[in-house]
Amino acid sequence: MSPARPSDSYSPMYFLASLGAGGLSVSFFMWLMFWLPHPGRTVPIFEDIATAFQTGTPLKQAMIVAAMAGIALFVVLNLKSLVWNLSHFAQWKRTEAYQKFTKTNAQSQLMALPLALAMSVNGLFIAGLVFIPGLWNVVEYLFPVALSAFVLIAVLAFRSYGAFIARIKVEGGFNHAANNSFGQILPAFAFAMIGVGMAAPAAMSTNAAVVGVSIVASTFLLMTSVLIAGIALILGIRSMLDHGTNAETAPTLMILIPLMTILGILMMRQNHGLGTQFEAHTSDAETFLFLAKVVSVQAIFALFGWLILSRHQYGKRFIWGRETSVMSYALVCPGVGFTVLWQFFVHKGLVAVHLVDKFSAVYWALIAVALVVQAAMVALVFTLNRRHFGSPRAVAAVPAE
């Protein structure tokens, strides 16, 4: 007898539902970050937003309300989904299905847990900046707390991934035929998400010791992520050349898009800290070139992923059709990742080097690209939530494995 809803058959990939919602909260924060003045700070805070609202035009006030509503809505959805996943994950770990799961390639999907936890911490920090008055006055005391939280999540991540690596290195059994996707890059994504959180103090703290610890810790996570992603990329391509791809895991082919966003922001945060505390300043031209390279990588993998998804008729089958797959949630992250990094590319790249004038017609045409993708991801999240968690309907659920 098939489950009443797809989500009744639990998979750790449902943590991506929480991750996607958290990412969308960040995409709305980009509106405030780049469209409101926040002198003396790298990010806007409640006081900056309040001042802009009081003195702004009706259009600016509407933008602020929409941005804050978007942040609030998706932070709530992020936490709601996280709590649901933690509860069901705890129950699932006591089942025989979990024991079988940990003997397959899919064991690495357990890294979705620390990935979602790191995203939630990042999302809560953004919500605090936006909604809590006076938070910036005590932010230096919060940085050690945040770093400690990310250290704990990193320990969880290394234990989980270590168990996977130890099993396949001691017992063997890695199925290369079933590795015909980029699913094994998920652990790299998790370590990168933890790393970008650890890099936040480097971009915001005025304490040299905190900035130094932030840079060192985030660099360790950065290199861990790059090494894992590089190896997984090569193995995945080799397997795809031998065995082709399958429709269910095709969304993972675009996982490099959000990974590049996270690593790009991580390195930009580090560069800011190096400039403010250690006199190693990065020019606007260097930042522009760096972002152009990262966006180029995203575009390459977007085209590659779109080509394969189209051949599989993925949207027709799994987004709007009768079939469902938890892996569909992996499509939210590339869209959100592109939206966020595109905002950085336009503002910290094109505008900063005076190739585009801020608020010009060309500027808004470029921003429209991000807004269209962002709106599509909002629609996708609600569509997937309805299909997986809503009232039962006649759909054919496809297992994540």
Side-chain angles (χ1 to χ4, degrees):
M1 180 177 179
S2 60
R5 300 177 303 175
S7 59
D8 290 338
S9 180
Y10 185 74
S11 165
M13 294 305 286
Y14 275 116
F15 277 108
L16 296 186
S18 175
L19 176 71
L24 279 171
S25 71
V26 175
S27 73
F28 280 99
F29 183 70
M30 294 296 100
W31 296 12
L32 303 177
M33 182 168 177
F34 292 120
W35 293 341
L36 299 183
H38 41 91
R41 286 177 293 272
T42 54
V43 292
I45 60 174
F46 175 86
E47 287 75 11
D48 297 320
I49 298 168
T51 299
F53 187 85
Q54 293 169 0
T55 60
T57 63
L59 184 60
K60 177 176 284 189
Q61 290 176 337
M63 180 275 292
I64 292 173
V65 170
M68 295 183 72
I71 293 169
L73 171 63
F74 287 105
V75 166
V76 169
L77 285 179
N78 164 261
L79 296 176
K80 179 182 177 182
S81 180
L82 180 65
V83 170
W84 180 90
N85 270 283
L86 291 173
S87 173
H88 283 71
F89 180 76
Q91 298 173 24
W92 180 63
K93 284 188 69 174
R94 296 192 291 267
T95 66
E96 184 180 348
Y98 172 79
Q99 299 302 323
K100 293 180 179 179
F101 183 88
T102 58
K103 301 300 181 182
T104 68
N105 291 9
Q107 183 183 1
S108 63
Q109 293 178 9
L110 298 178
M111 290 293 288
L113 168 55
L115 172 60
L117 289 174
M119 180 73 257
S120 293
V121 174
N122 286 318
L124 285 171
F125 189 79
I126 285 176
L129 292 176
V130 172
F131 293 105
I132 302 179
L135 185 68
W136 196 257
N137 296 328
V138 297
V139 73
E140 290 291 349
Y141 299 101
L142 297 179
F143 289 140
V145 176
L147 284 171
S148 299
F150 284 116
V151 167
L152 292 175
I153 297 173
V155 170
L156 173 64
F158 276 106
R159 290 186 62 182
S160 179
Y161 193 62
F164 171 65
I165 293 297
R167 179 183 65 79
I168 61 177
K169 290 298 182 182
V170 174
E171 302 175 11
F174 186 81
N175 189 342
H176 287 277
N179 189 42
N180 55 342
S181 71
F182 289 155
Q184 294 302 326
I185 297 180
L186 178 68
F189 192 14
F191 286 119
M193 185 65 74
I194 301 168
V196 78
M198 285 185 168
M204 290 181 264
S205 178
T206 57
N207 184 294
V210 171
V211 171
V213 170
S214 172
I215 291 174
V216 172
S218 60
T219 297
F220 179 69
L221 273 298
L222 165 68
M223 298 311 299
T224 301
S225 176
V226 169
L227 289 171
I228 293 172
I231 295 171
L233 181 66
I234 294 171
L235 292 176
I237 291 175
R238 170 61 188 275
S239 183
M240 281 185 273
L241 292 174
D242 288 340
H243 307 286
T245 61
N246 64 70
E248 292 76 35
T249 57
T252 66
L253 300 180
M254 289 198 263
I255 195 174
L256 265 293
I257 298 175
L259 179 62
M260 295 306 296
T261 296
I262 297 302
L263 293 179
I265 294 174
L266 188 160
M267 287 184 275
M268 289 182 66
R269 286 177 169 180
Q270 290 182 332
N271 287 338
H272 183 86
L274 289 171
T276 58
Q277 298 298 326
F278 306 110
E279 301 181 0
H281 300 280
T282 302
S283 69
D284 290 336
E286 290 171 322
T287 301
F288 164 63
L289 181 59
F290 168 73
L291 288 171
K293 292 175 180 177
V294 177
V295 170
S296 296
V297 174
Q298 289 187 322
I300 291 168
F301 281 94
L303 291 171
F304 172 62
W306 183 265
L307 173 65
I308 304 304
L309 287 168
S310 298
R311 288 295 183 94
H312 284 297
Q313 297 185 314
Y314 191 89
K316 185 177 180 180
R317 293 174 57 186
F318 296 99
I319 306 300
W320 303 288
R322 296 180 61 83
E323 297 176 85
T324 62
S325 170
V326 64
M327 297 300 292
S328 298
Y329 278 102
L331 290 174
V332 179
C333 300
V336 172
F338 170 79
T339 297
V340 171
L341 194 69
W342 187 255
Q343 290 272 17
F344 274 93
F345 177 59
V346 171
H347 294 94
K348 297 295 186 180
L350 298 174
V351 172
V353 298
H354 309 293
L355 283 175
V356 174
D357 293 328
K358 193 170 185 178
F359 302 135
S360 65
V362 174
Y363 168 88
W364 285 117
L366 292 169
I367 291 299
V369 175
L371 297 182
V372 168
V373 176
Q374 182 182 17
M377 293 306 102
V378 171
L380 179 60
V381 164
F382 285 116
T383 297
L384 292 177
N385 284 350
R386 182 180 67 253
R387 288 172 63 86
H388 285 261
F389 297 95
S391 300
R393 53 177 293 180
V395 294
V398 178
E401 296 86 357

Short mmCIF file of all heavy atoms in Angstrom, two decimals, residues 157-182:
data_model
loop_
_atom_site.label_atom_id
_atom_site.label_comp_id
_atom_site.label_asym_id
_atom_site.label_seq_id
_atom_site.Cartn_x
_atom_site.Cartn_y
_atom_site.Cartn_z
N ALA A 157 28.97 17.34 11.40
CA ALA A 157 29.17 17.07 9.97
C ALA A 157 30.37 16.14 9.75
O ALA A 157 30.29 15.19 8.97
CB ALA A 157 29.38 18.38 9.22
N PHE A 158 31.47 16.39 10.43
CA PHE A 158 32.65 15.55 10.27
C PHE A 158 32.40 14.13 10.78
O PHE A 158 32.89 13.15 10.20
CB PHE A 158 33.86 16.17 10.97
CG PHE A 158 34.57 17.21 10.14
CD1 PHE A 158 34.45 18.55 10.44
CD2 PHE A 158 35.34 16.83 9.05
CE1 PHE A 158 35.09 19.50 9.67
CE2 PHE A 158 36.00 17.77 8.28
CZ PHE A 158 35.87 19.12 8.58
N ARG A 159 31.64 14.00 11.85
CA ARG A 159 31.32 12.67 12.36
C ARG A 159 30.45 11.91 11.35
O ARG A 159 30.67 10.72 11.10
CB ARG A 159 30.60 12.77 13.70
CG ARG A 159 31.48 13.24 14.85
CD ARG A 159 30.75 13.18 16.17
NE ARG A 159 30.34 11.81 16.52
CZ ARG A 159 29.66 11.50 17.60
NH1 ARG A 159 29.28 12.46 18.45
NH2 ARG A 159 29.34 10.24 17.85
N SER A 160 29.47 12.59 10.79
CA SER A 160 28.58 11.95 9.83
C SER A 160 29.33 11.56 8.55
O SER A 160 29.23 10.42 8.09
CB SER A 160 27.42 12.90 9.48
OG SER A 160 26.56 12.31 8.53
N TYR A 161 30.09 12.50 8.01
CA TYR A 161 30.80 12.20 6.78
C TYR A 161 31.95 11.22 7.04
O TYR A 161 32.25 10.36 6.19
CB TYR A 161 31.35 13.49 6.16
CG TYR A 161 31.83 13.30 4.74
CD1 TYR A 161 30.95 12.90 3.74
CD2 TYR A 161 33.16 13.54 4.40
CE1 TYR A 161 31.38 12.73 2.43
CE2 TYR A 161 33.60 13.37 3.09
CZ TYR A 161 32.70 12.97 2.11
OH TYR A 161 33.14 12.79 0.81
N GLY A 162 32.56 11.31 8.21
CA GLY A 162 33.62 10.37 8.57
C GLY A 162 33.12 8.95 8.63
O GLY A 162 33.82 8.01 8.22
N ALA A 163 31.90 8.76 9.14
CA ALA A 163 31.32 7.42 9.20
C ALA A 163 31.12 6.86 7.80
O ALA A 163 31.36 5.67 7.55
CB ALA A 163 29.99 7.46 9.95
N PHE A 164 30.70 7.71 6.89
CA PHE A 164 30.50 7.29 5.49
C PHE A 164 31.83 6.91 4.83
O PHE A 164 31.96 5.83 4.23
CB PHE A 164 29.82 8.42 4.72
CG PHE A 164 29.74 8.20 3.23
CD1 PHE A 164 28.99 7.17 2.70
CD2 PHE A 164 30.43 9.04 2.36
CE1 PHE A 164 28.92 6.97 1.32
CE2 PHE A 164 30.37 8.85 0.99
CZ PHE A 164 29.61 7.81 0.47
N ILE A 165 32.83 7.78 4.98
CA ILE A 165 34.13 7.53 4.37
C ILE A 165 34.78 6.28 4.98
O ILE A 165 35.35 5.43 4.27
CB ILE A 165 35.06 8.74 4.54
CG1 ILE A 165 34.53 9.93 3.73
CG2 ILE A 165 36.48 8.40 4.12
CD1 ILE A 165 34.48 9.69 2.24
N ALA A 166 34.70 6.15 6.32
CA ALA A 166 35.30 4.99 6.98
C ALA A 166 34.66 3.69 6.50
O ALA A 166 35.35 2.68 6.29
CB ALA A 166 35.17 5.13 8.49
N ARG A 167 33.34 3.71 6.33
CA ARG A 167 32.65 2.48 5.90
C ARG A 167 33.10 2.05 4.50
O ARG A 167 33.45 0.89 4.29
CB ARG A 167 31.13 2.69 5.91
CG ARG A 167 30.36 1.45 5.44
CD ARG A 167 28.87 1.69 5.40
NE ARG A 167 28.48 2.68 4.42
CZ ARG A 167 28.38 2.46 3.10
NH1 ARG A 167 28.66 1.26 2.60
NH2 ARG A 167 28.00 3.42 2.28
N ILE A 168 33.11 2.99 3.57
CA ILE A 168 33.43 2.58 2.20
C ILE A 168 34.93 2.29 2.04
O ILE A 168 35.32 1.51 1.17
CB ILE A 168 32.97 3.65 1.18
CG1 ILE A 168 33.68 4.99 1.42
CG2 ILE A 168 31.47 3.79 1.21
CD1 ILE A 168 33.31 6.04 0.38
N LYS A 169 35.78 2.90 2.89
CA LYS A 169 37.21 2.63 2.80
C LYS A 169 37.60 1.32 3.47
O LYS A 169 38.57 0.67 3.09
CB LYS A 169 38.01 3.78 3.42
CG LYS A 169 37.97 5.08 2.62
CD LYS A 169 38.57 4.89 1.23
CE LYS A 169 38.58 6.19 0.44
NZ LYS A 169 39.13 6.01 -0.92
N VAL A 170 36.84 0.93 4.49
CA VAL A 170 37.13 -0.32 5.21
C VAL A 170 36.34 -1.49 4.62
O VAL A 170 36.89 -2.56 4.35
CB VAL A 170 36.83 -0.17 6.71
CG1 VAL A 170 37.00 -1.51 7.43
CG2 VAL A 170 37.74 0.89 7.33
N GLU A 171 35.03 -1.28 4.42
CA GLU A 171 34.18 -2.35 3.95
C GLU A 171 34.02 -2.39 2.43
O GLU A 171 33.64 -3.41 1.87
CB GLU A 171 32.78 -2.22 4.59
CG GLU A 171 32.80 -2.23 6.12
CD GLU A 171 31.42 -1.98 6.69
OE1 GLU A 171 30.44 -2.01 5.91
OE2 GLU A 171 31.31 -1.73 7.91
N GLY A 172 34.31 -1.25 1.77
CA GLY A 172 34.06 -1.17 0.33
C GLY A 172 32.59 -1.03 0.06
O GLY A 172 31.81 -0.61 0.92
N GLY A 173 32.18 -1.38 -1.14
CA GLY A 173 30.76 -1.38 -1.46
C GLY A 173 30.24 -0.10 -2.08
O GLY A 173 29.03 0.05 -2.25
N PHE A 174 31.14 0.86 -2.41
CA PHE A 174 30.66 2.05 -3.09
C PHE A 174 30.22 1.69 -4.50
O PHE A 174 30.98 1.11 -5.27
CB PHE A 174 31.75 3.13 -3.14
CG PHE A 174 31.27 4.45 -3.69
CD1 PHE A 174 30.58 5.33 -2.89
CD2 PHE A 174 31.52 4.79 -5.01
CE1 PHE A 174 30.14 6.55 -3.39
CE2 PHE A 174 31.08 6.00 -5.53
CZ PHE A 174 30.39 6.88 -4.71
N ASN A 175 28.99 2.03 -4.84
CA ASN A 175 28.40 1.64 -6.11
C ASN A 175 28.63 2.75 -7.14
O ASN A 175 27.94 3.75 -7.16
CB ASN A 175 26.90 1.39 -5.93
CG ASN A 175 26.26 0.78 -7.16
OD1 ASN A 175 26.80 0.85 -8.26
ND2 ASN A 175 25.09 0.20 -6.98
N HIS A 176 29.62 2.55 -8.00
CA HIS A 176 29.94 3.57 -9.00
C HIS A 176 28.85 3.69 -10.05
O HIS A 176 28.63 4.78 -10.60
CB HIS A 176 31.28 3.25 -9.67
CG HIS A 176 32.46 3.49 -8.79
ND1 HIS A 176 33.02 4.73 -8.62
CD2 HIS A 176 33.17 2.65 -8.00
CE1 HIS A 176 34.04 4.65 -7.78
NE2 HIS A 176 34.15 3.40 -7.38
N ALA A 177 28.15 2.61 -10.33
CA ALA A 177 27.05 2.67 -11.30
C ALA A 177 25.93 3.57 -10.81
O ALA A 177 25.25 4.24 -11.60
CB ALA A 177 26.52 1.27 -11.58
N ALA A 178 25.72 3.60 -9.48
CA ALA A 178 24.67 4.43 -8.90
C ALA A 178 25.14 5.84 -8.58
O ALA A 178 24.38 6.65 -8.05
CB ALA A 178 24.14 3.77 -7.61
N ASN A 179 26.39 6.15 -8.93
CA ASN A 179 26.96 7.46 -8.64
C ASN A 179 26.87 8.37 -9.87
O ASN A 179 27.66 9.31 -10.01
CB ASN A 179 28.42 7.31 -8.21
CG ASN A 179 29.01 8.62 -7.68
OD1 ASN A 179 28.35 9.34 -6.94
ND2 ASN A 179 30.24 8.92 -8.08
N ASN A 180 25.90 8.12 -10.73
CA ASN A 180 25.78 8.89 -11.97
C ASN A 180 25.01 10.19 -11.76
O ASN A 180 24.01 10.48 -12.42
CB ASN A 180 25.12 8.04 -13.05
CG ASN A 180 23.78 7.47 -12.60
OD1 ASN A 180 23.47 7.42 -11.41
ND2 ASN A 180 22.98 7.03 -13.56
N SER A 181 25.49 10.99 -10.82
CA SER A 181 24.93 12.30 -10.51
C SER A 181 26.00 13.07 -9.75
O SER A 181 27.12 12.61 -9.59
CB SER A 181 23.65 12.16 -9.66
OG SER A 181 23.99 11.73 -8.35
N PHE A 182 25.64 14.26 -9.28
CA PHE A 182 26.55 15.02 -8.41
C PHE A 182 26.07 14.98 -6.96
O PHE A 182 26.36 15.87 -6.17
CB PHE A 182 26.65 16.47 -8.89
CG PHE A 182 27.40 16.64 -10.18
CD1 PHE A 182 27.17 17.73 -11.00
CD2 PHE A 182 28.34 15.69 -10.58
CE1 PHE A 182 27.85 17.89 -12.20
CE2 PHE A 182 29.04 15.84 -11.78
CZ PHE A 182 28.79 16.94 -12.59
#
